[in-house]
Amino acid sequence: MQTRHRSHAAFARAKELIPGGVNSPARAFGGVGGEPLFFASALGQRLTDIDGHSYLDYIGSWGPMILGHRHPRVVAAIEETLGKGMSYGAPTEAESHLAELIIAAVPSIEKVRMVSSGTEAAMSAVRLARGFTGRDKLVKFAGNYHGHVDSLLVAAGSSAATLGVPNSPGITAGTAADTIVLEYNDVEALETLFKRSGGEIAALLMEPVVGNMGLVTPSREFLTAARTLTHTSGTLLVFDEVMTGFRLSYGGAQEIHGVTPDLTTLGKIVGGGLPLGAYGGRRDVMDHVLPAGKVFQAGTLAGNPLAVAAGMATLEELRDNPPYERLERHGRRLEQGFREAAAAAGVPAWVARVGSMMTMFFQHGPDVVPVRGWKTASLSDTARYADFFWKMIDRGIYLPCSQYEALFFSAAHTDADIEATIAAAVASLAAR
Ligand code: HOZ
């Protein structure tokens, strides 16, 4: 087993200074036990921890690093911008350039507003939907995660589910009362709800492919029902594409599925590894945002020049040299390799993947249960996932530190990297 003395010491120090020693609970390794690794640097598809161990990176900063770490085009754009200034609190032409790139890429977006994170994008989209429709109620799905927005931190996925606080203390009963939670992929429940009270619902928020309870795909019927029912009742359909935007394809999950939401939230890749989020959609809805309209939303660092430069360079690189076929080829091989490794070891597992996002759900068996929503995702054998996670760490593979987070790989991963990862999975599963 590796020695991790420096990470251990760094974590002990951080815990004295920062709650739980981390600035976001997703990093705390609470879902796998043990202590988080502290990192010193990253390049391409690799991470190096402060004890000097190198890992193939399968989280990519939880999604943003689709081009790999320190991509030359992105680094050059940041350096060039840095030479001019870091923040003005005033408009720049680059913001319109990034807006043009987003609008050209994402089918449903006619106008877009930049913020500093995916959480802010979701929070702002909710306020806008309520302001536009004059209604209070929201609908979300169990295990979907839309950042740490009060009204959406109900039956939430990601670290909220991993660490057992899907409904966080501090959310008032009044706030939670306006949020209706349904099971993902449950068409009947959706129809029943909209039949009964569609006219009271401001927004239906959903991850069009879920990454925050592990990877879960929507059925065609479910997506069609979401679009049709919201349209009929005057509810805004909001796709959270913070994870899937520019990742599953240049136009995101909505491009793949051919479903057009009213609003879309973006984060992660849109900022190229720096803090940037965005929300956008129908022009008539977006024109309700202040100062065009009356729905308030603001931010000192919203549209920050460095983040905009990183986002522009990332999107231009994805547009000019699309990596999506290569990511799909690598994803197909990884999926097949993991599935075969589990079968060979007699480990019951459901493997779900779209493009460069994937989850192997460890199950208790004997039968493998398809994972369609939180009810089935939450049946996972998380102890077995934790065992696999640490065995992969010892073999130099850095996977998400929770059963309930999708893995991401980058355009920098090579054929040899994918094969090495599969070999590590075979050995880790056989060694249990
Ligand atoms: N949104 C990320 C994946 N669920 C987690 C990032 C974080 O909370 O640190």
Side-chain angles (χ1 to χ4, degrees):
M1 208 183 85
Q2 295 168 347
T3 53
R4 292 185 276 266
H5 301 308
R6 289 190 176 187
S7 276
H8 175 71
F11 189 46
R13 177 185 176 211
K15 278 191 291 188
E16 291 299 317
L17 304 166
I18 300 168
V22 289
N23 280 313
S24 184
R27 308 170 192 171
F29 280 32
V32 291
E35 297 183 342
L37 306 184
F38 279 56
F39 287 95
S41 65
L43 182 64
Q45 70 279 44
R46 289 203 160 266
L47 298 168
T48 304
D49 72 16
I50 61 174
D51 286 287
H53 306 299
S54 170
Y55 303 89
L56 278 174
D57 181 12
Y58 282 92
I59 70 162
S61 188
W62 302 103
M65 312 315 297
I66 189 168
L67 298 175
H69 296 275
R70 288 196 273 148
H71 187 280
R73 190 166 179 174
V74 180
V75 172
I78 294 170
E79 283 175 351
E80 195 198 324
T81 305
L82 187 56
K84 297 181 196 156
M86 287 164 67
S87 185
Y88 310 112
T92 59
E93 287 181 301
E95 290 160 72
S96 294
H97 191 132
L98 180 58
E100 275 171 359
L101 284 167
I102 295 169
I103 289 165
V106 185
S108 65
I109 297 187
E110 295 174 337
K111 272 197 171 181
V112 61
R113 178 53 85 76
M114 283 151 218
V115 291
S116 296
S117 69
T119 291
E120 273 189 66
M123 178 185 82
S124 309
V126 163
R127 186 179 303 138
L128 175 57
R130 285 173 160 159
F132 178 79
T133 59
R135 304 172 183 177
D136 292 343
K137 299 255 182 251
L138 305 172
V139 179
K140 77 173 288 281
F141 296 101
N144 282 212
Y145 178 72
H146 308 288
H148 58 98
V149 181
D150 276 8
S151 57
L152 301 174
L153 209 47
V154 179
S158 189
S159 36
T162 302
L163 301 176
V165 283
N167 309 297
S168 168
I171 312 286
T172 64
T175 304
D178 280 327
T179 305
I180 301 162
V181 181
L182 299 179
E183 180 72 1
Y184 202 74
N185 272 322
D186 188 341
V187 176
E188 208 180 305
L190 203 54
E191 285 173 347
T192 306
L193 173 70
F194 272 85
K195 206 170 184 184
R196 197 182 60 224
S197 34
E200 297 163 31
I201 300 167
L204 168 63
L205 284 103
M206 64 187 295
E207 295 183 69
V209 168
V210 190
N212 283 295
M213 53 175 148
L215 188 92
V216 176
T217 54
S219 71
R220 164 120 316 264
E221 197 194 358
F222 177 62
L223 281 181
T224 305
R227 178 62 283 183
T228 310
L229 293 166
T230 48
H231 179 73
T232 310
S233 58
T235 299
L236 296 186
L237 177 61
V238 184
F239 274 6
D240 183 330
E241 296 235 40
V242 168
M243 279 187 171
T244 54
F246 308 105
R247 176 163 286 275
L248 300 188
S249 76
Y250 192 54
Q254 59 192 264
E255 182 177 63
I256 293 179
H257 289 295
V259 177
T260 307
D262 300 297
L263 292 176
T264 299
T265 61
L266 297 167
K268 302 195 190 278
I269 290 174
V270 77
L274 293 186
L276 190 112
Y279 65 105
R282 278 168 42 189
R283 177 181 293 269
D284 62 320
V285 179
M286 290 304 293
D287 278 339
H288 279 65
V289 178
L290 202 71
K294 293 204 160 45
V295 177
F296 192 90
Q297 175 262 309
T300 300
L301 293 175
N304 170 261
L306 292 179
V308 166
M312 268 167 52
T314 300
L315 266 48
E316 283 170 345
E317 178 64 18
L318 291 172
R319 179 197 61 194
D320 298 345
N321 300 299
Y324 301 104
E325 276 182 32
R326 171 190 171 79
L327 292 171
E328 174 60 25
R329 182 167 59 77
H330 281 163
R332 212 177 303 127
R333 175 69 190 119
L334 197 66
E335 175 185 353
Q336 178 202 27
F338 271 41
R339 192 172 282 132
E340 287 174 1
V347 172
W350 173 259
V351 183
R353 180 191 66 84
V354 182
S356 53
M357 294 173 68
M358 187 174 106
T359 298
M360 180 153 79
F361 291 94
F362 287 79
Q363 300 188 338
H364 295 277
D367 298 326
V368 173
V369 181
V371 178
R372 305 284 183 223
W374 182 241
K375 275 187 190 149
T376 37
S378 60
L379 299 176
S380 299
D381 186 344
T382 52
R384 191 168 259 182
Y385 181 83
D387 180 66
F388 178 65
F389 170 84
W390 283 111
K391 290 195 165 107
M392 293 293 270
I393 287 281
D394 282 338
R395 292 179 168 85
I397 310 292
Y398 192 78
L399 296 174
C401 54
S402 167
Q403 172 72 90
Y404 301 124
E405 300 280 7
L407 70 74
F408 302 90
F409 58 87
S410 77
H413 285 69
T414 64
D415 288 5
D417 293 330
I418 299 294
E419 293 307 323
T421 307
I422 293 169
V426 170
S428 297
L429 288 166
R432 104 200 123 87

